[in-house]
Amino acid sequence: MTPVRVAAARALLAIEDGHTTLAAALADARIDIADRDKALLVELATGTLRWRNELDACIAAASRRSVTQIDPRALVVLRLAAYQLRHLRVPPHAVVHESVEAVRELRAARAAGFVNAVLRTLQRRDRTISLPKRPEADAHRDAKVAYLSVTLSHPAWLAARWLDRVGFEAAETWCRFNNTTPDVTVRPVHGVAHEDLLARLRAESIDATPAPYVTDAIRLPPGTLGRLSEPLRADLVVQDEGAQLVARMAAARAGERVLDACASPGGKTIVMAADMHIARHARATLVAADFRASRVALLAQTLDRAHVPAAIVRLDARRPLPFADVFDCVVLDAPCSGLGVLRRDPDLKWTRSSDDLPRFAADQLAMFDACASAVKPGGRLVYATCSSEPEENGSLVASFLQSHREFALAQRDRATTVPASLLTGDGCLSTNPPAHGLEAFFTAVLERRSAA
């Protein structure tokens, strides 16, 4: 199994260097891995990232040195090994042997003895290594942050933010949620009935259940996709339930002109096409756009596979758009910190910082301004993120409204298919793990006042 560990280590090193994301690193790593080992590759890399702070505390205790003093190649191997020992319960002798071989394969042979010694110490001491315990209710704030950051493995700056904003109980629930393996949420491709897809999944002995918040979405257990037959896999699209709710907030209708300004990979476009009842060969009234060429190519591939007849364009939503104010609805699912989806993208825990938020907010406000110009009088502008942080969500909407008096928050009845329990008092979608068991998504629907 050494090739899998080496591939996982290389993926983690690339992420540490800031060269890639977890999704991209795994896509590259899978190329040279046998099909039977691909699920293990994902488990090793993803699990190690989820629990990185906890693993580092154990490695530091076993090695009696700061992890910052350890060769990066040896450190990723130790993290992978500690994850297997503590969370997967892989036999210690196998973990130690394979880890020593892996660090040699990574051209850090001089660290092999060190890796061997640390893992044997970790094996011997096992659960006696002391991590911050769950604090009492009246404990000092620092003790609570240490528990959330080290024992529940979240960056201290983010743990402190959540603690101050939602309180200890909710912050703890949130951190635990992020460290779990998510279910898979799917929806039928264009032209396939939800009921038929659900029945076919169950016919293949898949434990498929209707999603609790989106009426035509289906939840599957983790690891299910690899078991599906090819015809069945071709008739569904994987999309987080929170992301589907964002598309439903747009309330796209038949006969409207709709622009999805940051559309790739295309999941929200698919949902809106279904809501608009667009026939497969009809003239497109739905425009899907993105900026980077690779993202546009992915968007085109997704929509073609789902049989969605949308016009696809390449544009930079931070600049003035090449459209007049002709759209009934413009959807801006803005690039963001991604701090609301750490369960699915745990690498973001360690590659984001509080200093990133103003930068994201500046780009988001520029996109907000650009997209507003394409909304016709009486139309609506839908702003969304998968961030949990106010600077990218409610605060940004408030800032936009201050400088665009022609827009106002829409009335809640526009989003009748979205459960009221997921909406704030002013009608914005705001999901979060402690309250809903969903990733953190935010959506505000703004209406442009009709010309006098």
Side-chain angles (χ1 to χ4, degrees):
M1 293 210 299
T2 300
V4 181
R5 288 184 173 87
V6 171
R10 285 179 172 145
L12 294 177
L13 283 168
I15 294 167
E16 286 283 321
D17 290 341
H19 295 157
T20 188
T21 63
L22 173 61
L26 288 176
D28 290 341
R30 285 190 187 101
I31 295 173
D32 298 321
I33 296 297
D35 288 345
R36 66 178 183 277
D37 292 332
K38 288 178 179 177
L40 177 59
L41 170 69
V42 174
E43 175 64 37
L44 291 175
T46 304
T48 299
L49 285 167
R50 285 197 181 112
W51 291 101
R52 198 184 84 171
N53 265 11
E54 181 230 33
L55 302 174
D56 282 0
C58 294
I59 292 167
S63 66
R64 297 184 179 180
R65 66 176 70 177
S66 167
V67 295
T68 61
Q69 299 175 311
I70 300 175
D71 182 292
R73 295 164 295 180
L75 180 57
V76 296
V77 171
L78 286 171
R79 285 170 173 166
L80 287 161
Y83 175 66
Q84 292 170 84
L85 291 171
R86 293 181 63 84
H87 296 275
L88 299 184
R89 292 307 195 184
V90 176
H93 67 276
V95 173
V96 174
H97 172 73
E98 295 289 345
S99 297
V100 169
E101 292 301 311
V103 81
R104 287 175 175 152
E105 185 70 21
L106 292 171
R107 299 183 180 180
R110 281 193 281 184
F114 172 74
V115 167
N116 179 74
V118 171
L119 292 181
R120 292 194 181 281
T121 300
L122 193 59
Q123 173 193 350
R124 185 173 64 253
R125 294 182 60 185
D126 192 29
R127 299 291 175 174
T128 65
I129 291 176
S130 178
L131 298 174
K133 292 181 171 52
R134 190 179 191 276
E136 299 293 334
D138 59 352
H140 192 275
R141 178 178 180 273
D142 289 349
K144 295 176 180 178
V145 172
Y147 169 74
L148 297 172
S149 176
V150 178
T151 307
L152 298 187
S153 194
H154 279 67
W157 71 270
L158 187 59
R161 269 180 162 251
W162 291 352
L163 176 64
D164 294 341
R165 194 164 76 239
V166 303
F168 176 74
E169 298 284 347
E172 180 186 34
T173 300
W174 202 330
C175 290
R176 289 189 181 281
F177 173 90
N178 286 341
N179 289 336
T180 61
T181 302
D183 290 335
V184 179
T185 306
V186 302
R187 62 175 296 106
V189 299
H190 198 55
V192 175
H194 166 263
E195 295 80 6
D196 291 345
L197 180 61
L198 183 61
R200 289 168 59 196
L201 285 163
R202 289 172 173 171
E204 291 194 7
S205 300
I206 302 298
D207 184 17
T209 58
Y213 297 110
V214 177
T215 55
D216 52 354
I218 299 170
R219 281 192 180 180
L220 311 176
T224 298
L225 292 179
R227 295 166 46 200
L228 301 182
S229 64
E230 282 300 319
L232 187 53
R233 184 67 181 86
D235 281 348
L236 59 81
V237 175
V238 178
Q239 186 181 28
D240 188 275
E241 191 169 2
Q244 295 188 44
L245 286 164
V246 171
R248 283 285 151 80
M249 286 291 290
R253 296 182 289 269
E256 288 189 325
R257 290 181 178 177
V258 177
L259 168 64
D260 193 353
C262 297
S264 191
K268 297 178 186 67
T269 311
I270 293 171
V271 176
M272 290 189 290
D275 290 346
M276 295 169 71
H277 304 292
I278 301 176
R280 183 177 299 189
H281 302 294
R283 179 182 177 185
T285 56
L286 177 59
V287 179
D290 218 291
F291 177 46
R292 297 200 306 271
S294 60
R295 298 285 291 174
V296 175
L298 176 60
L299 174 62
Q301 180 182 18
T302 302
L303 298 187
D304 179 66
R305 177 177 170 272
H307 313 302
V308 171
I312 299 172
V313 299
R314 183 180 179 186
L315 58 80
D316 184 351
R318 296 168 299 180
R319 307 280 187 266
L321 302 189
F323 304 111
D325 54 350
V326 297
F327 289 97
D328 298 279
C329 179
V330 175
V331 177
L332 171 60
D333 183 9
C336 67
S337 66
L339 293 171
V341 292
L342 298 182
R343 182 171 66 154
R344 299 182 186 278
D345 298 315
D347 53 314
L348 297 180
K349 286 201 278 191
W350 318 116
T351 58
R352 296 287 188 246
S353 73
S354 58
D355 293 338
D356 291 327
L357 297 177
R359 175 174 57 83
F360 278 111
D363 281 348
Q364 289 154 0
L365 194 56
M367 293 180 183
F368 225 150
D369 290 340
C371 288
S373 65
V375 180
K376 75 178 188 181
R380 57 201 183 280
L381 174 57
V382 181
Y383 172 80
T385 73
C386 56
S387 172
S388 56
E389 301 311 294
E391 294 95 323
E392 301 180 87
N393 296 334
S395 297
L396 193 83
V397 171
S399 178
F400 173 83
L401 290 174
Q402 281 289 326
S403 58
H404 292 78
R405 299 292 184 177
E406 72 276 22
F407 282 90
L409 284 168
Q411 297 301 307
R412 290 173 60 170
D413 61 3
R414 278 214 180 269
T416 53
T417 61
V418 175
S421 61
L422 303 180
L423 302 177
T424 63
D426 55 8
C428 295
L429 173 73
S430 182
T431 63
N432 67 80
H436 310 120
L438 293 172
E439 325 292 322
F441 282 83
F442 173 85
T443 309
V445 182
L446 285 60
E447 287 185 329
R448 183 176 180 181
R449 295 183 176 93
S450 299

